[in-house]
Amino acid sequence: MNLVEVADLSLSSAERTVLSDCSLTLRPGERVGLVGRSGSGKTALAHALLGYTRPGLARVGGTVRIAGHDPFAPGGARRVRGRLAAYVPQDCASALPAEHRVGRVLDRAARRSGVARAHLAAFRRNALEQLGLPPELAHAFPHQISGGQAQRVALASALAAGAELIVLDEPTSGLDPGTTEDLIDLLRTSVGDAAMLVVSHDLDVVDRLTHRRVAMTHGRLADAGDRGATAGLDARLRPSEEMRDAPAAEGKACVLRVEGVRGGPGGRPVLREVDLTLDAGECVAVMGASGAGKTTLARALAGMLEPSGGRLWLNGAPQPWSVVRRPAADRLSVALVDQDSRAALNPRETVGKALERARRAAARGGLTPPPAADLLSAVSLPASAADRRPDELSGGERQRASLARAVAAGPRVLLCDEVTASLDGVTERDVLDMLAALRGERGLAVLLITHSRSVAATADRCLVLADGILGPPATLRLRPDAGTEQAAYGT
Amino acid sequence: MIRFGLTRGVTAVAMMLLLSAVLFFSTEALPGDAAGAVAGADATDSERAEIRERLGLDDPAVTRYVTWLGDALTGDLGRSSAAGRPVAEVLASRFGNSVVLVGLAVAAIAVLATVFGLAAGLRAGRLGDRLLSSVTVTLIALPEFLVATGLVVVLAHQAGLFPAVSTFPPGDSSWQHPDMLVLPVTALVLGGLGVATRLVRAAVVGVAGSPAIEQARLNGESGVRLAWSYVLPAAAAPGIQGLAVMAAGLLGGSLVVETLFNYPGVGSELARAVTYRDVAMVQGLGLALAGSALLILFVGDLLAGLLNVRSRPGAWRRAEGGVS
């Protein structure tokens, strides 16, 4: 008997069809990749396997069976969710309940699989050890652990639940190359004989983890038994190997300069001595391992976090760190596109209204912002996205909406914190092209924080943040096995 | 967290000083004074002047404010000009009764508002939520005296279940007369429940859409366990702050209810003092009520801070070994 049987499944929201007639089967222990561009309906299908639809979505046709149970029926949902099938979400750090210690999360998963209370402690130790996590982690709250650890905890709780099907939603987005390698090794060794559905836009990751893959385009599933059938998609999703030269900027005016930046959130000395200059039209990439302080630096430059030391100049004039103390005219000149686009956008406001507000702010500052429609098409979003709220967009679409809003306010400096991490190859190129055009036309300076060497290669300069110091890449200490990532991208 | 507590504490003290000044000078500015009330309507101007001098009413207002505040800090709230007893003594005999009344009401509201708020917030937009919302709006719209009068008419006069007037012998504690507490407490609960339920519901709706709750649902959590272990801890901090605001507001609401039921609390005494132009009493009781309200808000903020795992002091966290 097949473990997963999805037949002619259709989902739709009030105004559009999200999935149409999707059929998918997984045998016990089979590993299948689900690929497609962001916003194509991958997560909706993954949720449907557990009988869940996001608010506003409804199943309009078709059936789902997991080991014979219907997860859309209340009785079936009890058998399937967290028991037969476990879901490991894209952003594990925010998906762990903030008030539960890691140990409690694992205990709860173990209880679902029927582990007796007396054996919980031993079971928990085992679960942590299996994923290479220290036993003390059981006492930590989710906000005290790193994103990579949170993902392992989510994986450990999926394994602890004894699931026969593990659904992984974008398991590698936002991880640095070293952590990605570790995760792939971990998934290959520790998942055992559970079946796995890997949702990802990264074909390389999917190929290494799964036996076969299916592709999603605009809510339709192209079930391909062999890889040849999806070759066309391959060509479109893989990042191109030729890297464009960044357009040479006219007039090298220094728009942003910092010296001796020290400190970090809560006074922790994440940054020790950071110096940086950005000229108009220049693009500088900043790389570094998770937790090196890249986001801290971006937040300090944007005026959202006051470092304990260091000085800042914008357009040649010294400025205070805190954005509220900067003069009105200079407040708009630095824009930050946050890594967490869900937190960055107002959940009650449509994308169109958010863009309109940013454009009005730019107009008050004496700038002429491009029309909202142009901004949306520049980040490859359809015009209909303007009427949607952030939670009606996929992770990748939301990230691009956040980018469009930052550009709408007419900044001189754009700080991009992992903006391309959750984008597929085609969209990533579109976004980088848009940034290149803005740099050429308006002399916009761009700071690209990224894990991807291919993205960093599009910048004029690449710097590495390590041990609290920003330096040239010669000091880059990549893990030995990270070379595979380099090969995969053909750089 | 400790710094947060200290900052909030200092703010509360500053707020208290400001309130005491507002209270003192606004009662001063009212027409008529204690001299007029004590001397009676037939007194001559010279008799009034004599009383004014005896009571120290001719000193500049600022001097009298400083004296009054200094005395209040040492527990001396002056003498009631109408009853002749020290205000502190009256306050001591009435304060406990009011604490019992408001405390019982707040406890009942906290439980009911949590249950209703969770039930409505987790079904946001559906029929159950809309029904509960209509009920809470109705409760908010009904004035307290109307609710209290309605209770008296139905439960006391027609059904005869409870006494219509909650007067008991002075010296007795309200605990000794539970039947007399039922109607005043019910009136207060009905007055505060609407606002409290809506505050809890708003906090729950905010939490229910979070990725953590979505993941909990995907993990098969539902019903009471989802509400109790996942939604409530995340909604507790804003919920507690909402309840604190509501509890502070109930102190004001208790004035109406106590007067209506003739319940021997601070509120009914304050209403009487206003009628008699008993300035010292109004100022003393007002100061006590303002202090209590500020204390409740302060405790609410502290509790909310302690409930938030991100801001708890180190000792509460037990182990930090997990941080790496």
Side-chain angles (χ1 to χ4, degrees):
Chain A
M1 190 177 75
N2 284 323
L3 177 67
V4 176
E5 278 199 62
V6 180
D8 304 321
L9 180 71
S10 298
L11 296 181
S12 67
S13 69
E15 64 271 6
R16 64 191 190 112
T17 307
V18 175
L19 291 185
S20 41
D21 297 327
C22 290
S23 297
L24 174 72
T25 53
L26 263 76
R27 292 187 305 277
E30 194 182 15
R31 291 164 185 198
V32 175
L34 173 59
V35 298
R37 300 189 57 168
S38 74
S40 59
K42 302 191 296 288
T43 299
L45 177 61
H47 279 165
L49 293 185
L50 291 96
Y52 179 83
T53 51
R54 290 222 164 116
L57 282 188
R59 183 174 59 135
V60 288
T63 55
V64 178
R65 291 288 179 275
I66 307 292
H69 299 280
D70 177 8
F72 280 99
R78 269 196 294 280
R79 287 288 305 130
V80 171
R81 293 188 191 176
R83 290 174 176 83
L84 274 170
Y87 185 85
V88 179
Q90 181 168 6
D91 181 5
C92 293
S94 64
L96 290 173
E99 296 77 18
H100 293 194
R101 291 174 205 274
V102 167
R104 184 167 169 199
V105 173
L106 295 177
D107 287 355
R108 183 68 201 126
R111 290 289 294 153
R112 280 199 292 272
S113 70
V115 173
R117 280 186 195 282
H119 300 141
L120 280 182
F123 197 88
R124 176 208 294 175
R125 249 195 322 278
N126 210 353
L128 286 171
E129 194 188 319
Q130 199 185 354
L131 291 188
L133 293 168
E136 313 87 79
L137 204 73
H139 299 295
F141 283 107
H143 72 275
Q144 294 168 317
I145 66 180
S146 75
Q149 285 174 327
Q151 192 173 38
R152 281 166 186 238
V153 169
L155 199 56
S157 89
L159 295 176
E164 287 178 38
L165 168 70
I166 297 181
V167 181
L168 296 151
D169 194 357
E170 296 286 358
T172 56
S173 88
L175 297 186
D176 61 54
T179 326
T180 302
E181 284 306 312
D182 290 348
L183 181 75
I184 289 175
D185 288 346
L186 200 64
L187 286 173
R188 282 174 157 176
T189 54
S190 61
V191 169
D193 51 4
M196 216 160 55
L197 182 75
V198 181
V199 178
S200 181
H201 61 262
D202 190 331
L203 294 185
D204 201 60
V205 169
V206 168
D207 284 354
R208 291 170 64 193
L209 282 175
T210 62
H211 305 135
R212 65 182 174 102
R213 66 169 181 248
V214 291
M216 177 80 83
T217 25
H218 301 300
R220 290 182 180 278
L221 213 49
D223 198 348
D226 61 301
R227 283 176 191 171
T230 52
L233 185 88
D234 258 43
R236 282 187 288 122
L237 282 172
R238 296 239 185 243
S240 80
E241 298 197 1
E242 41 123 4
M243 288 300 158
R244 295 164 313 282
D245 289 321
E250 317 275 318
K252 288 274 186 187
C254 170
V255 287
L256 180 144
R257 183 153 72 95
V258 291
E259 272 180 19
V261 185
R262 289 190 304 278
R268 280 187 294 124
V270 180
L271 303 176
R272 287 197 300 159
E273 187 76 34
V274 172
D275 300 334
L276 174 70
T277 54
L278 273 175
D279 294 335
E282 191 185 26
C283 179
V284 174
V286 171
M287 299 183 75
S290 294
K294 303 187 294 294
T295 297
T296 303
L297 175 63
R299 293 175 65 88
L301 296 180
M304 295 158 71
L305 182 148
E306 206 156 337
S308 49
R311 296 204 288 158
L312 166 76
W313 289 265
L314 290 178
N315 305 318
Q319 296 282 355
W321 283 109
S322 168
V323 70
V324 292
R325 288 193 280 115
R326 291 182 194 169
D330 287 312
R331 270 184 215 159
L332 288 177
S333 65
V334 180
L336 169 66
V337 186
D338 204 283
Q339 192 172 7
D340 182 359
S341 59
R342 188 189 287 274
L345 295 168
N346 180 349
R348 306 271 166 193
E349 193 174 59
T350 61
V351 170
K353 277 197 188 136
L355 289 179
E356 206 41 56
R357 229 157 24 80
R359 290 182 70 244
R360 278 206 302 275
R364 277 198 300 276
L367 301 167
T368 42
D374 290 6
L375 286 164
L376 286 175
S377 68
V379 292
S380 314
L381 282 175
S384 63
D387 299 324
R388 289 194 237 151
R389 278 181 282 117
D391 55 0
E392 296 170 307
L393 300 173
S394 77
E397 289 173 325
R398 208 160 41 222
Q399 188 57 270
R400 283 177 278 154
S402 174
L403 180 62
R405 183 182 63 167
V407 172
R412 304 283 312 271
V413 181
L414 190 64
L415 312 168
C416 299
D417 194 355
E418 292 287 1
V419 284
T420 56
S422 55
L423 302 183
D424 58 86
V426 185
T427 322
E428 177 183 292
R429 218 175 326 155
D430 288 347
V431 166
L432 291 174
D433 281 344
M434 181 202 69
L435 291 180
L438 283 170
R439 286 161 50 203
E441 287 164 20
R442 300 169 162 243
L444 179 74
V446 176
L447 187 78
L448 268 183
I449 292 175
T450 181
H451 281 129
S452 161
R453 305 191 115 208
S454 63
V455 172
T458 64
D460 302 328
R461 290 189 283 145
C462 180
L463 299 171
V464 171
L465 189 60
D467 300 323
I469 292 173
L470 195 59
T475 60
L476 177 57
R477 294 172 300 126
L478 272 181
R479 305 162 47 92
D481 57 356
T484 47
E485 192 258 0
Q486 202 173 343
Y489 279 109
T491 43
Chain B
M1 178 65 206
I2 292 164
R3 218 176 116 190
F4 167 76
L6 283 176
T7 328
R8 293 287 307 140
V10 170
T11 320
V13 170
M15 204 60 211
M16 188 68 220
L17 276 176
L18 187 71
L19 274 176
S20 70
V22 170
L23 187 68
F24 185 87
F25 292 108
S26 57
T27 45
E28 284 297 312
L30 290 176
D33 61 13
V38 170
D42 304 333
T44 61
D45 281 352
S46 64
E47 280 172 327
R48 287 214 182 95
E50 189 196 331
I51 292 171
R52 290 179 69 85
E53 193 174 345
R54 185 152 53 81
L55 294 176
L57 295 178
D58 287 328
D59 294 342
V62 177
T63 320
R64 280 181 292 129
Y65 168 65
V66 173
T67 321
W68 172 70
L69 195 63
D71 288 346
L73 286 178
T74 60
D76 176 12
L77 289 168
R79 227 165 219 296
S80 155
S81 52
R85 293 165 65 200
V87 173
E89 196 184 301
V90 177
L91 184 64
S93 69
R94 298 302 179 95
F95 197 69
N97 290 339
S98 281
V99 167
V100 168
L101 178 66
V102 174
L104 282 176
V106 168
I109 290 175
V111 173
L112 292 173
T114 306
V115 172
F116 292 150
L118 279 171
L122 286 175
R123 289 177 180 75
R126 287 197 262 157
L127 184 67
D129 175 42
R130 289 206 297 269
L131 279 178
L132 269 170
S133 293
S134 326
V135 174
T136 52
V137 168
T138 316
L139 281 178
I140 293 171
L142 284 177
E144 249 154 13
F145 71 89
L146 204 66
V147 174
T149 316
L151 284 174
V152 169
V153 168
V154 176
L155 292 181
H157 289 163
Q158 290 185 359
L161 291 174
F162 304 102
V165 178
S166 307
T167 347
F168 43 82
D172 276 17
S173 141
S174 48
W175 285 115
Q176 291 162 280
H177 304 274
D179 57 327
M180 303 213 168
L181 276 169
V182 174
L183 288 186
V185 168
T186 312
L188 274 186
V189 168
L190 290 178
L193 187 59
V195 176
T197 303
R198 290 183 82 82
L199 287 171
V200 174
R201 179 192 173 276
V204 168
V205 167
V207 169
S210 70
I213 300 302
E214 175 171 270
Q215 181 61 24
R217 286 185 196 271
L218 284 167
N219 279 342
E221 307 291 1
S222 61
V224 174
R225 181 187 282 277
L226 180 75
W228 182 258
S229 304
Y230 291 84
V231 178
L232 196 57
I240 288 269
Q241 277 168 323
L243 282 178
V245 171
M246 187 274 312
L250 270 197
L251 285 175
S254 74
L255 197 145
V256 175
V257 170
E258 285 182 7
T259 311
L260 258 165
F261 288 97
N262 214 5
Y263 181 88
V266 176
S268 56
E269 197 62 47
L270 182 61
R272 196 170 311 139
V274 171
T275 323
Y276 291 125
R277 299 249 158 70
D278 191 344
V279 176
M281 188 71 103
V282 171
Q283 289 169 342
L285 297 181
L287 197 64
L289 285 178
S292 312
L294 282 176
L295 187 69
I296 291 172
L297 292 176
F298 175 59
V299 170
D301 278 354
L302 279 191
L303 275 180
L306 287 176
L307 280 171
N308 183 350
V309 291
R310 289 176 191 80
S311 64
R312 261 181 218 173
W316 274 59
R317 279 197 219 122
R318 224 161 59 200
E320 298 233 24
V323 190
S324 65

